[in-house]
Amino acid sequence: MKILTVNFLTCAIKSCKSSPASFPLHFKDAELEQQQIAFNPKFIQNILPRIDWEGLKTTAAELGFTSLPTSKPEDDTAQDEKVLRDLHTLLLEMQVTEGKLVCGNCGHEYAIKEGIANFLLPNHLGEFLDTLQGISGLGKLTVSGSVTTSFGNW
């Protein structure tokens, strides 16, 4: 799981959606691996506006990356090759291969195995599925990566 990905994730539990403590998810027992990827400064410059900088700073600090600028690079700083290379290394080359992501609001842990985080919720936390099954007239309901209803695929 690339560090960049975590910047776009929050807790999947419905009650956490409105809590600011559910973002960013925090790494626990993380095993890091660096995978060399060709440097693409344009990609970093284009992704910068979409990154939640405070969340990234929190994640980086928890993983031991202290060289991140205190404020989001803009204008001249976003053109600085050293800053772009540091961001490239952190966001794209560093991967968490094993460990957990933990919600700061509810404490729920999402396991990461072989670089893939499991966001499936246990039955007692899967309120969304229960809600769908309780709606009358939806027709057949199967869960295997997508939800199939009489209205089509979701």
Side-chain angles (χ1 to χ4, degrees):
M1 166 176 264
K2 295 188 185 303
I3 306 303
L4 175 62
T5 306
V6 177
N7 198 257
F8 296 98
L9 299 174
T10 61
C11 185
I13 296 174
K14 188 176 182 179
S15 61
C16 291
K17 297 293 182 194
S18 61
S19 173
S22 67
F23 178 84
L25 295 175
H26 305 279
F27 284 106
K28 179 179 175 183
D29 304 327
E31 293 180 22
L32 293 172
E33 181 179 286
Q34 186 170 359
Q35 179 184 27
Q36 296 294 321
I37 296 175
F39 178 57
N40 183 347
K42 289 286 186 202
F43 177 80
I44 299 297
Q45 290 167 334
N46 287 331
I47 199 73
L48 268 175
R50 296 169 182 86
I51 291 176
D52 182 292
W53 198 255
E54 292 305 312
L56 180 62
K57 284 186 349 186
T58 300
T59 300
E62 290 173 353
L63 294 174
F65 295 94
T66 57
S67 64
L68 204 59
T70 55
S71 61
K72 186 186 285 192
E74 296 179 33
D75 304 324
D76 292 341
T77 319
Q79 304 298 324
D80 183 337
E81 186 171 342
K82 182 187 179 332
V83 170
L84 293 175
R85 283 194 182 275
D86 287 347
L87 286 170
H88 168 82
T89 300
L90 175 64
L91 296 173
L92 300 176
E93 291 186 347
M94 295 310 297
Q95 298 185 57
V96 176
T97 56
E98 301 289 329
K100 295 175 183 153
L101 285 169
V102 181
C103 175
N105 184 55
C106 69
H108 186 73
E109 296 181 351
Y110 301 94
I112 302 170
K113 293 195 186 303
E114 298 178 13
I116 299 171
N118 181 355
F119 279 90
L120 294 176
L121 295 175
N123 288 340
H124 69 283
L125 296 175
E127 296 173 17
F128 176 71
L129 184 57
D130 293 340
T131 302
L132 279 178
Q133 290 172 334
I135 298 173
S136 63
L138 270 183
K140 179 181 156 193
L141 180 65
T142 57
V143 179
S144 61
S146 65
V147 176
T148 304
T149 70
S150 57
F151 302 113
N153 292 331
W154 291 1

